[in-house]
Amino acid sequence: METLVVHGSNRKSVITVGERHSHAGAYTPHEKAFVVTDTEVRRLYPAFFRTCEPVVIGTGERIKTLDTVALIYEKLLEKEADRSVFLIGVGGGVVCDVVGFAAATYLRGVRFGFVPTTLLSQVDAAVGGKNGVNFKGFKNKIGAITQPDFVWCDPSFFRTLPEREIRSGLAEVVKQAFIADINLVEYIENNVQDILSLKSAAMERLVLDCLRIKAGVVSRDEKEQGERRILNFGHTVGHAVEQRSGLAHGEAVSVGMAAAAALSVRLGLLSTDKLTRILKLLRRLHLPVSLPAPADEIIAALGQDKKREGEALHFVLLNDLGRAVVREINLTELRVLLLEIFKETL
Ligand code: NAD
Ligand code: MG
């Protein structure tokens, strides 16, 4: 078992990796615990909830709304929960986002912790303190930045995940490797089979390394004023691809990473052989690297997300494998460059 710490501005967050979820009771504050989960996790892990009947909030991205947050407030009021209540979210990124936001706002903020059950939530959503919900069709429009007291990662939860959820999570794993850790890139290259078959040792290593990367970045820049932007590698094009195709988030981010890496080559930051390595690794992980919709449609959808600032975008590029740089690029110029890249490379 390994432990990491994220230092937020108003609270520190302790992250544990590798302890089995059957031991959860030993780590969670029992008396005032108020547990929230989703339908699927409740169904798959009855033993986990033996001693604490959870509030079940449904499942999927469509429940990431203020209505679901309001349902949690109602249940808290029913139980006459005061400021000493401790919320625990058990589930994927959706549960973490909803529970984190409810906890950040109920009585102006109560303590909370997460037991993330998907690969994506263990390496990404549960850590960093950003918690938000969708509003009127816009993703993550309403939210807060508050660190959970604990995040408790048990990779054995992955065994019940559908294959597509695994792949989606793996895209965020390689993203962290590409932006910050050449050793992790090499480890993934050398262990693709163990990773795809979810071998415990391999999954624990991936989760721990990703958490080290994200915890480090977030501790240095919690509010995304600088370095934290590198975590958006692949996401500018990825969001446009996600909007215009049926691809899952991680799959769209994979296409976005391929585009961002190709743009890095075009701008003279990255060598062609490194781009080839990136594309090869994504393919070996069964992640897409070519456009699933016409290039002009993707280009039209580009920059319509909240990361846009005026006409310039903070675009994340690579200047080596394991090293990211952020460049401000004018949206019009970016569209021209990407259109060429889409035609030639993707
Ligand atoms: P999710 O929570 O919807 O989980 C995916 C599916 O897997 C759901 O159907 C869920 O019921 C099911 N599931 C959960 N655990 C399972 C298990 N162990 N076995 C089988 N099925 C299981 O989605 P996700 O991919 O975990 O997270 C995506 C969400 O996270 C998005 O809403 C995204 O915006 C958010 N996110 C937030 C941050 C952040 O910093 N706050 C970062 C990245 C992503
Ligand atoms: Mg993402």
Side-chain angles (χ1 to χ4, degrees), residues 117-161:
T117 60
T118 63
L119 176 56
L120 185 122
S121 58
Q122 291 194 16
V123 300
D124 194 354
V127 184
K130 280 192 188 178
N131 302 115
V133 295
N134 305 330
F135 187 67
K136 299 215 180 276
F138 293 100
K139 214 169 142 54
N140 301 331
K141 274 291 165 200
I142 312 292
I145 300 186
T146 323
Q147 301 298 334
D149 276 40
F150 70 83
V151 180
W152 203 67
C153 297
D154 174 1
S156 76
F157 276 118
F158 305 156
R159 289 194 204 120
T160 51
L161 278 177

Side-chain angles (χ1 to χ4, degrees), residues 92 114 126 154 197 231 257 260 263 286 300 306 326 331 346:
F114 293 142
D154 174 1
S197 56
L231 296 171
M257 289 192 285
L263 182 57
H286 306 306
K306 65 180 179 201
V326 181
L331 191 57
L346 310 186

Side-chain angles (χ1 to χ4, degrees), residues 176-197:
Q176 317 253 41
F178 289 152
I179 59 172
D181 190 350
I182 179 64
N183 292 326
L184 183 56
V185 174
E186 284 166 3
Y187 177 79
I188 300 170
E189 286 175 329
N190 295 331
N191 294 277
V192 167
Q193 277 327 311
D194 281 3
I195 291 168
L196 290 176
S197 56

Side-chain angles (χ1 to χ4, degrees), residues 32-99:
K32 306 281 182 167
F34 179 98
V35 181
V36 179
T37 191
D38 83 353
T39 322
E40 194 57 11
V41 176
R42 177 74 185 88
R43 186 181 70 78
L44 287 166
Y45 294 93
F48 187 89
F49 302 103
R50 236 188 355 250
T51 56
C52 50
E53 193 46 43
V55 171
V56 180
I57 57 173
T59 182
E61 187 69 26
R62 68 182 185 288
I63 62 151
K64 217 176 90 167
T65 60
L66 287 175
D67 285 344
T68 308
V69 175
L71 173 89
I72 295 175
Y73 296 151
E74 275 165 30
K75 298 282 181 194
L76 285 163
L77 286 172
E78 262 172 36
K79 289 208 165 7
E80 298 179 1
D82 61 17
R83 287 190 50 76
S84 66
V85 71
F86 194 105
L87 265 63
I88 302 175
V90 186
V94 167
V95 169
C96 295
D97 265 344
V98 168
V99 172

Side-chain angles (χ1 to χ4, degrees), residues 215-284:
V217 171
V218 171
S219 293
R220 291 187 293 270
D221 177 24
E222 189 185 29
K223 302 267 155 64
E224 196 171 320
Q225 284 154 344
E227 185 185 353
R228 189 166 180 166
R229 291 193 179 113
I230 66 172
L231 296 171
N232 296 326
F233 178 60
H235 280 64
T236 304
V237 173
H239 284 146
V241 169
E242 195 174 357
Q243 266 179 37
R244 296 298 158 119
S245 70
L247 291 190
H249 176 74
E251 293 169 328
V253 167
S254 174
V255 177
M257 289 192 285
L263 182 57
S264 308
V265 173
R266 169 63 61 99
L267 296 176
L269 295 166
L270 191 72
S271 65
T272 324
D273 59 316
K274 300 237 162 102
L275 169 64
T276 308
R277 253 173 94 180
I278 288 171
L279 297 178
K280 186 173 170 201
L281 185 56
L282 291 171
R283 286 198 191 96
R284 289 178 69 207

